[in-house]
Amino acid sequence: MCPFAWITSRWMLEVEQVRDVKTEWHVMSLAVLNEDRDIPDSYREFLKDAWGPVRVLIAAEQQHGNEALLPLYTAMGNRIHKEKQEITRLMVDSALQEAGLPTELGKLMEDDSLDEDVRKSHGQAIALVGDDVGTPTIRVGDNAFFGPVISTIPRGEDAGRLWDGVLAVSGYPYFYELKRSRTQPLDFD
């Protein structure tokens, strides 16, 4: 559901093409991140739809291993961010089919017994970066950070140079944050 996590994930796929990097994917959740925060009612309503897909993602990982996350996240993300599809069982089933996973996982969208597993997975990532951040989160070696928050997907060597910068700051144990206001619109292509 997080457009910035989606763009960062696509950037990492680009990085893998130009640097000797292998990404390991991990489930985080905007719904979990914001459930105890003071947020507008409209955003809280938006986040209700976030539970279904993340439950299916965590179940897919549990039943089919970590390698199931990327193809399913890609299939769901394309539908949510690029195609602007509504989050429905039909959308999730279609994404599952594209990812080569059983469509019966789609019924788990409504299974709130998975919520603790989602919270645990999310909590593992937040434990690396602290409570005052969100998604995306990236870990490099022993250091993890919120971000990078980018509004477009760097391609080719641009992706590699951004990765090089992440490596540079992650190598300094006292580095915490760079930030500026977002001024550019989101671009998922």
Side-chain angles (χ1 to χ4, degrees):
M1 295 283 294
C2 177
F4 299 107
W6 172 254
I7 290 172
T8 297
S9 76
R10 304 302 92 182
W11 163 66
M12 284 306 304
L13 295 176
E14 288 287 320
V15 170
E16 288 181 347
Q17 301 302 309
V18 296
R19 296 294 187 270
D20 186 19
V21 172
K22 177 70 176 123
T23 306
E24 182 178 318
W25 304 97
H26 190 86
V27 174
M28 291 187 75
S29 168
L30 275 182
V32 172
L33 178 70
N34 289 291
E35 67 185 343
D36 294 326
R37 292 187 176 175
D38 183 22
I39 58 175
D41 290 340
S42 60
Y43 191 61
R44 191 166 305 285
E45 189 65 28
F46 163 78
L47 290 175
K48 286 181 181 177
D49 285 341
W51 282 103
V54 79
R55 288 172 180 148
V56 173
L57 280 160
I58 204 77
E61 181 181 33
Q62 290 170 345
Q63 295 178 27
H64 300 278
N66 184 266
E67 61 275 3
L69 288 179
L70 177 59
L72 183 54
Y73 183 69
T74 296
M76 285 185 184
N78 281 332
R79 286 163 174 76
I80 292 168
H81 299 294
K82 294 177 84 172
E83 299 169 17
K84 307 297 185 204
Q85 290 185 24
E86 288 186 39
I87 297 174
T88 64
R89 171 73 189 269
L90 182 63
M91 183 279 290
V92 169
D93 285 352
S94 174
L96 285 162
Q97 187 174 19
E98 181 182 322
L101 295 165
T103 55
E104 57 262 14
L105 284 170
K107 68 183 177 192
L108 299 175
M109 288 179 69
E110 303 300 324
D111 186 352
D112 62 5
S113 71
L114 292 164
D115 293 0
E116 281 310 307
D117 294 327
V118 172
R119 284 184 184 95
K120 180 180 177 185
S121 182
H122 180 87
Q124 290 168 342
I126 290 296
L128 297 172
V129 295
D131 292 331
D132 59 340
V133 298
T135 61
T137 296
I138 189 168
R139 179 179 175 184
V140 180
D142 292 334
N143 294 316
F145 302 97
F146 165 58
V149 175
I150 50 181
S151 61
T152 192
I153 305 161
R155 304 288 183 184
E157 194 53 32
D158 286 341
R161 280 190 293 277
L162 180 55
W163 175 252
D164 296 341
V166 168
L167 287 179
V169 298
S170 70
Y172 185 69
Y174 306 102
F175 172 80
Y176 297 100
E177 167 176 349
L178 287 171
K179 189 167 183 166
R180 66 179 170 177
S181 295
R182 292 188 295 266
T183 59
Q184 299 298 313
L186 294 170
D187 181 357
F188 298 113
D189 292 315

